[in-house]
Amino acid sequence: MPEDTERENQAEASRPASSNATGESADGAAPDGGAAPGGGAAPDGGAAPDGGAAPDGRGAPDRTPAEARSNLRDWIRVRARETIRSVAARRAQAKSNAEPGDDAGREADGEAAGGGEPSPEPPAPAPTPIQIAIPAVPEQRMHEPGADPLTDMEVRKREAGVDESLPFGRPGQPLGRTHPFVFGFTGALGVFAAWTLIQAIASARQVLILIVVSLFLAVGLNPAVEALQRRRVSRHWAVAMVFLALLMVFAGFGAAIVPPLTNEITAFIDHVPAYIQQLQQNPNIRDLDQRYQLLGKLQETVTNANFGKQAVSGIVGVGRVVVGGLFSTFTVLILTLYFLGSLPTIKNFFYRMAPRSRRARVALLGDEILVRIGGYVAGTVAVALVAGTSAYVFLLIMEVPFALPLALLVALTAFIPLVGATIGASLVCVVAFFDGVATGIICVIFFVAYQQIENYVIHPRVMKRAVDVHPAATIIAALIGGTLLGIVGALLAIPTAAAVSLIVREVVVPRQDTL
């Protein structure tokens, strides 16, 4: 401002003239101990530009106080920058050369920053350098030229690095996982293990099928056991009662099938000569015999010496099949009893395989899957019971022989999805045609009509409540299961499809919706 400038000029004019003549500054000494630019000597020993003698010996012209103060501020800025740079350089050099805790570098920094006086606050100590542990690399053992470690023991020990702690030398570096040998050996071992596992499963296929069928039956019978438990019956007694009922069903089926079948086979063997005579008296058969010598060839085959061996081998083969079937049935019953008695323990064991955070949800889904399997078994039993009862009543009305065994056969084949009812109906119709053509035709009409009612009325209603699976999924699952495991695969396909559909609906779909 103009007023401030005039007051400063008046104050400078009132000072003694000798103050400027001697070269002393009114503002005091400079930070480095020399005279300030306002009147003392310059840092290089010459006079300041506004007071003392100039470098050439001549006196500098007089300057106004404002100009002197401006020059003083510029000089202070320059000296401050130089001091900061000098302090930074010294501090960096002290950090790089001195040990941690060295006070000499800090005192030098304090003196430089404070114009010869120690700094009241020492700078922060240098940060401790980060130490990185570098693994020791074993030194390369040089091979001595012309020395063979196989023949010279001393050379062998030196090259191996033998000492007191390592009597057999230093071990080499281990092979990494990316080494070609390690990678190839691991891959080959995995392929061999997978092939061995597949071969073991193929060898134990029959046993595994029996185990799966037994577990399936146990899960299917478990709802009956739980129903008895709800009536205050202990689980042991409930399992015993259900298993006894299952044994009675098998025994009744055997009692209904085996005696009539045995009697018919015996009667057929006894009437073989009479059947041959009837064939000879038949004009059509006689005409065919004259043309193709059928009876002669049949008699030649029967009287052949190898016929007895072939018959015996056939009987032995049938006996093996029967014994194998009985053994498989006995094994399934024993395993079913075991699984049915320990089903809660088995469930808890598999539930504990899930993480604790998901165990409750896994248990709920598992229980629902078991309920659906039990519902499928109960529904299939209901459908088979309806089919067998209907067939038995119809065969009794038509007076077809062996009505009870044929009805049990229809009920048994009804457990097979898709084609079971057709197989049972075809066998019954064949027997009915032997009784009479009209009887056979009426039997065909009855079973065709019944299959339509079963496929569109009975089966959908029962299975909708039991497993809740789409009909298309049921057909696809039955076809795939039958192709893989035959009749057993077809039986297990529908409950498996029900379990998969439940997991997809409750686990996969919600997870996809959150992405």
Side-chain angles (χ1 to χ4, degrees):
M1 298 296 292
E3 292 85 4
D4 296 338
T5 305
E6 292 179 359
R7 284 196 297 270
E8 290 174 358
N9 292 336
Q10 292 176 2
E12 292 292 337
S14 62
R15 293 179 182 177
S18 60
S19 176
N20 291 335
T22 57
E24 296 177 357
S25 173
D27 296 329
D32 56 352
D44 55 358
D50 57 349
D56 55 359
R58 293 177 296 179
D62 294 337
R63 296 184 179 181
T64 62
E67 293 176 352
R69 282 193 298 273
S70 177
N71 293 337
L72 179 62
R73 284 193 296 270
D74 295 340
W75 182 82
I76 290 174
R77 292 192 187 96
V78 173
R79 291 294 296 169
R81 294 192 187 97
E82 294 177 354
T83 303
I84 292 172
R85 294 192 186 98
S86 177
V87 169
R90 292 180 184 179
R91 186 171 297 173
Q93 185 177 3
K95 288 180 180 179
S96 60
N97 297 334
E99 293 293 334
D102 189 5
D103 296 332
R106 289 194 296 269
E107 292 176 0
D109 294 342
E111 292 176 0
E117 296 180 359
S119 175
E121 295 181 1
T128 304
I130 299 175
Q131 298 180 357
I132 301 175
I134 301 176
V137 180
E139 58 183 9
Q140 297 290 336
R141 293 186 288 273
M142 303 300 295
H143 302 293
E144 299 180 7
D148 189 0
L150 300 179
T151 58
D152 193 341
M153 183 61 67
E154 296 298 330
V155 174
R156 184 185 302 179
K157 292 182 179 180
R158 283 197 301 269
E159 291 188 4
V162 175
D163 54 13
E164 295 180 357
S165 60
L166 299 172
F168 298 101
R170 296 179 180 178
Q173 296 182 358
L175 297 177
R177 295 183 178 180
T178 58
H179 193 276
F181 176 78
V182 176
F183 181 78
F185 181 77
T186 304
L189 186 63
V191 172
F192 177 75
W195 180 81
T196 305
L197 181 61
I198 293 173
Q199 292 297 321
I201 293 175
S203 301
R205 177 180 178 181
Q206 298 298 328
V207 178
L208 294 177
I209 290 176
L210 294 179
I211 293 174
V212 172
V213 171
S214 302
L215 186 60
F216 176 75
L217 290 177
V219 174
L221 296 174
N222 188 59
V225 174
E226 293 180 349
L228 292 176
Q229 284 183 302
R230 288 192 293 268
R231 296 178 180 272
R232 298 182 180 181
V233 179
S234 63
R235 185 169 183 86
H236 297 289
W237 285 105
V239 170
M241 294 172 63
V242 172
F243 188 74
L244 182 61
L246 181 64
L247 290 179
M248 292 177 63
V249 169
F250 275 91
F253 183 81
I257 294 293
V258 175
L261 184 62
T262 304
N263 294 332
E264 289 300 320
I265 292 175
T266 304
F268 177 77
I269 294 175
D270 294 338
H271 289 81
V272 167
Y275 291 152
I276 294 176
Q277 292 179 1
Q278 292 178 4
L279 290 176
Q280 291 177 351
Q281 295 176 1
N282 192 329
N284 295 327
I285 298 297
R286 187 183 304 170
D287 184 41
L288 292 174
D289 182 38
Q290 292 177 358
R291 292 182 180 181
Y292 305 103
Q293 291 80 33
L294 295 179
L295 296 179
K297 292 180 180 179
L298 178 61
Q299 185 176 4
E300 182 181 357
T301 302
V302 172
T303 58
N304 191 1
N306 295 326
F307 178 77
K309 296 180 180 180
Q310 294 176 358
V312 171
S313 62
I315 294 173
V316 171
V318 173
R320 288 180 179 177
V321 172
V322 172
V323 173
L326 293 176
F327 178 76
S328 299
T329 304
F330 181 75
T331 304
V332 167
L333 291 176
I334 296 300
L335 292 177
T336 302
L337 177 61
Y338 172 75
F339 288 144
L340 189 59
S342 59
L343 189 59
T345 305
I346 296 174
K347 288 194 305 181
N348 293 333
F349 172 77
F350 283 103
Y351 290 162
R352 289 186 180 276
M353 302 299 292
R356 179 62 181 85
S357 59
R358 302 181 181 179
R359 192 171 297 166
R361 179 169 171 79
V362 170
L364 292 175
L365 291 175
D367 291 341
E368 180 64 23
I369 290 173
L370 295 180
V371 168
R372 294 195 176 191
I373 294 176
Y376 170 75
V377 173
T380 305
V381 170
V383 172
L385 184 61
V386 172
T389 304
S390 302
Y392 181 67
V393 172
F394 171 76
L395 294 176
L396 285 179
I397 295 173
M398 298 301 298
E399 297 181 354
V400 178
F402 313 112
L404 181 58
L406 292 176
L408 291 177
L409 182 63
V410 171
L412 181 63
T413 56
F415 284 93
I416 304 174
L418 300 180
V419 297
T422 304
I423 294 174
S426 300
L427 295 176
V428 173
C429 291
V430 170
V431 176
F433 271 107
F434 278 104
D435 186 63
V437 177
T439 304
I441 294 174
I442 295 174
C443 188
V444 169
I445 295 173
F446 168 78
F447 278 105
V448 169
Y450 174 77
Q451 286 185 9
Q452 302 305 316
I453 297 174
E454 179 182 321
N455 293 335
Y456 293 99
V457 179
I458 300 175
H459 195 276
R461 291 187 178 182
V462 173
M463 291 303 170
K464 184 66 177 179
R465 298 179 57 185
V467 294
D468 191 16
V469 180
H470 195 273
T474 302
I475 296 174
I476 294 173
L479 291 176
I480 295 176
T483 303
L484 295 177
L485 298 176
I487 297 177
V488 177
L491 290 174
L492 302 178
I494 296 178
T496 303
V500 172
S501 65
L502 177 64
I503 294 174
V504 170
R505 184 172 65 250
E506 297 295 334
V507 178
V508 178
V509 174
R511 182 176 298 175
Q512 295 298 324
D513 291 340
T514 57
L515 296 179

